[in-house]
Short mmCIF file of all heavy atoms in Angstrom, two decimals:
data_model
loop_
_atom_site.label_atom_id
_atom_site.label_comp_id
_atom_site.label_asym_id
_atom_site.label_seq_id
_atom_site.Cartn_x
_atom_site.Cartn_y
_atom_site.Cartn_z
N GLN A 77 87.77 115.54 103.11
CA GLN A 77 86.66 116.02 102.29
C GLN A 77 86.87 115.77 100.80
O GLN A 77 85.90 115.53 100.07
CB GLN A 77 86.45 117.52 102.52
CG GLN A 77 86.16 117.89 103.95
CD GLN A 77 84.98 117.13 104.54
OE1 GLN A 77 83.98 116.91 103.87
NE2 GLN A 77 85.12 116.71 105.78
N PHE A 78 88.11 115.79 100.32
CA PHE A 78 88.37 115.76 98.89
C PHE A 78 89.23 114.60 98.42
O PHE A 78 89.57 114.51 97.24
CB PHE A 78 89.03 117.08 98.45
CG PHE A 78 88.19 118.28 98.73
CD1 PHE A 78 88.50 119.15 99.77
CD2 PHE A 78 87.05 118.55 97.96
CE1 PHE A 78 87.71 120.25 100.04
CE2 PHE A 78 86.26 119.65 98.23
CZ PHE A 78 86.59 120.51 99.26
N ALA A 79 89.59 113.70 99.34
CA ALA A 79 90.38 112.53 98.94
C ALA A 79 89.83 111.28 99.60
O ALA A 79 90.57 110.39 100.01
CB ALA A 79 91.85 112.74 99.31
N ARG A 80 88.52 111.19 99.64
CA ARG A 80 87.88 110.07 100.33
C ARG A 80 88.11 108.73 99.63
O ARG A 80 88.02 107.67 100.26
CB ARG A 80 86.39 110.33 100.46
CG ARG A 80 86.04 111.49 101.38
CD ARG A 80 84.55 111.73 101.46
NE ARG A 80 84.22 112.86 102.32
CZ ARG A 80 83.00 113.32 102.50
NH1 ARG A 80 81.98 112.74 101.88
NH2 ARG A 80 82.78 114.35 103.31
N GLU A 81 88.42 108.78 98.32
CA GLU A 81 88.63 107.52 97.60
C GLU A 81 90.00 106.92 97.90
O GLU A 81 90.28 105.76 97.54
CB GLU A 81 88.50 107.77 96.09
CG GLU A 81 89.71 108.38 95.39
CD GLU A 81 89.85 109.88 95.62
OE1 GLU A 81 89.07 110.45 96.41
OE2 GLU A 81 90.74 110.49 95.00
N LEU A 82 90.86 107.70 98.55
CA LEU A 82 92.21 107.24 98.86
C LEU A 82 92.27 106.72 100.30
O LEU A 82 91.54 107.17 101.17
CB LEU A 82 93.21 108.38 98.71
CG LEU A 82 93.27 109.04 97.33
CD1 LEU A 82 94.18 110.27 97.38
CD2 LEU A 82 93.77 108.05 96.29
N THR A 83 93.15 105.76 100.54
CA THR A 83 93.36 105.29 101.90
C THR A 83 94.07 106.39 102.69
O THR A 83 94.75 107.25 102.13
CB THR A 83 94.23 104.02 101.93
OG1 THR A 83 95.54 104.34 101.46
CG2 THR A 83 93.63 102.93 101.06
N ARG A 84 93.93 106.34 104.00
CA ARG A 84 94.58 107.35 104.84
C ARG A 84 96.10 107.30 104.66
O ARG A 84 96.78 108.32 104.75
CB ARG A 84 94.22 107.12 106.32
CG ARG A 84 92.75 107.39 106.63
CD ARG A 84 92.44 107.08 108.09
NE ARG A 84 93.04 108.03 109.00
CZ ARG A 84 92.45 109.15 109.42
NH1 ARG A 84 91.24 109.46 108.95
NH2 ARG A 84 93.05 109.95 110.26
N GLU A 85 96.64 106.10 104.39
CA GLU A 85 98.08 105.96 104.21
C GLU A 85 98.56 106.60 102.92
O GLU A 85 99.67 107.15 102.85
CB GLU A 85 98.48 104.48 104.24
CG GLU A 85 98.27 103.77 105.58
CD GLU A 85 96.81 103.46 105.87
OE1 GLU A 85 96.00 103.48 104.93
OE2 GLU A 85 96.48 103.23 107.06
N ASP A 86 97.74 106.54 101.86
CA ASP A 86 98.16 107.05 100.55
C ASP A 86 97.74 108.49 100.28
O ASP A 86 98.28 109.13 99.36
CB ASP A 86 97.57 106.17 99.44
CG ASP A 86 98.11 104.75 99.49
OD1 ASP A 86 99.21 104.55 100.04
OD2 ASP A 86 97.43 103.84 98.97
N ALA A 87 96.80 109.00 101.05
CA ALA A 87 96.17 110.27 100.69
C ALA A 87 97.15 111.42 100.63
O ALA A 87 97.20 112.16 99.64
CB ALA A 87 95.03 110.58 101.67
N PHE A 88 97.96 111.61 101.67
CA PHE A 88 98.84 112.77 101.70
C PHE A 88 99.91 112.71 100.63
O PHE A 88 100.25 113.74 100.02
CB PHE A 88 99.47 112.95 103.08
CG PHE A 88 98.53 113.54 104.11
CD1 PHE A 88 98.42 112.98 105.36
CD2 PHE A 88 97.76 114.65 103.81
CE1 PHE A 88 97.56 113.52 106.32
CE2 PHE A 88 96.90 115.21 104.74
CZ PHE A 88 96.80 114.63 106.00
N SER A 89 100.45 111.53 100.36
CA SER A 89 101.48 111.43 99.30
C SER A 89 100.86 111.72 97.93
O SER A 89 101.48 112.40 97.10
CB SER A 89 102.15 110.06 99.32
OG SER A 89 101.20 109.03 99.08
N THR A 90 99.64 111.24 97.69
CA THR A 90 98.98 111.51 96.41
C THR A 90 98.66 112.99 96.26
O THR A 90 98.90 113.60 95.20
CB THR A 90 97.69 110.68 96.31
OG1 THR A 90 98.02 109.29 96.39
CG2 THR A 90 96.96 110.96 95.00
N LEU A 91 98.12 113.60 97.31
CA LEU A 91 97.82 115.02 97.25
C LEU A 91 99.09 115.85 97.05
O LEU A 91 99.09 116.84 96.30
CB LEU A 91 97.12 115.47 98.54
CG LEU A 91 95.69 114.95 98.75
CD1 LEU A 91 95.21 115.29 100.15
CD2 LEU A 91 94.74 115.53 97.71
N ALA A 92 100.18 115.45 97.69
CA ALA A 92 101.44 116.18 97.53
C ALA A 92 101.93 116.10 96.09
O ALA A 92 102.38 117.11 95.52
CB ALA A 92 102.50 115.62 98.48
N GLN A 93 101.82 114.93 95.48
CA GLN A 93 102.25 114.78 94.08
C GLN A 93 101.40 115.66 93.16
O GLN A 93 101.93 116.30 92.24
CB GLN A 93 102.13 113.31 93.66
CG GLN A 93 103.15 112.40 94.32
CD GLN A 93 102.86 110.93 94.07
OE1 GLN A 93 101.99 110.57 93.27
NE2 GLN A 93 103.57 110.06 94.77
N GLU A 94 100.10 115.70 93.41
CA GLU A 94 99.22 116.52 92.58
C GLU A 94 99.55 118.01 92.75
O GLU A 94 99.58 118.77 91.77
CB GLU A 94 97.76 116.27 92.96
CG GLU A 94 97.27 114.87 92.59
CD GLU A 94 95.83 114.61 93.04
OE1 GLU A 94 95.21 115.55 93.60
OE2 GLU A 94 95.34 113.49 92.83
N ALA A 95 99.84 118.42 93.98
CA ALA A 95 100.15 119.83 94.22
C ALA A 95 101.51 120.21 93.64
O ALA A 95 101.68 121.33 93.12
CB ALA A 95 100.11 120.11 95.72
N GLU A 96 102.48 119.31 93.73
CA GLU A 96 103.82 119.60 93.20
C GLU A 96 103.82 119.71 91.68
O GLU A 96 104.73 120.33 91.11
CB GLU A 96 104.80 118.53 93.67
CG GLU A 96 105.16 118.67 95.16
CD GLU A 96 105.88 117.45 95.70
OE1 GLU A 96 106.12 116.50 94.92
OE2 GLU A 96 106.19 117.45 96.91
N ALA A 97 102.82 119.16 91.04
CA ALA A 97 102.72 119.27 89.58
C ALA A 97 102.19 120.63 89.14
O ALA A 97 102.20 120.95 87.95
CB ALA A 97 101.82 118.16 89.03
N ILE A 98 101.72 121.44 90.09
CA ILE A 98 101.18 122.76 89.81
C ILE A 98 102.25 123.81 90.11
O ILE A 98 102.98 123.71 91.10
CB ILE A 98 99.93 123.04 90.69
CG1 ILE A 98 98.89 121.91 90.53
CG2 ILE A 98 99.33 124.39 90.35
CD1 ILE A 98 98.39 121.70 89.13
N ALA A 99 102.36 124.81 89.29
CA ALA A 99 103.37 125.86 89.48
C ALA A 99 103.05 126.70 90.71
O ALA A 99 101.87 126.84 91.08
CB ALA A 99 103.44 126.75 88.24
N PRO A 100 104.08 127.27 91.35
CA PRO A 100 103.82 128.19 92.46
C PRO A 100 102.83 129.29 92.06
O PRO A 100 102.87 129.81 90.95
CB PRO A 100 105.21 128.78 92.75
CG PRO A 100 106.16 127.72 92.32
CD PRO A 100 105.52 127.08 91.11
N GLY A 101 101.93 129.60 92.98
CA GLY A 101 100.88 130.56 92.69
C GLY A 101 99.56 129.91 92.35
O GLY A 101 98.53 130.58 92.28
#
């Protein structure tokens, strides 16, 4: 729903990088 511009192969790694840049909470 929210990463349609990314390939299926790249989507989870990109989302993980974006989430890891955010502090816990």
Side-chain angles (χ1 to χ4, degrees):
Q77 302 305 321
F78 300 106
R80 293 179 181 176
E81 80 282 6
L82 302 173
T83 66
R84 292 177 70 90
E85 294 75 18
D86 295 337
F88 283 133
S89 61
T90 300
L91 290 171
Q93 290 170 9
E94 292 177 2
E96 286 167 1
I98 307 301

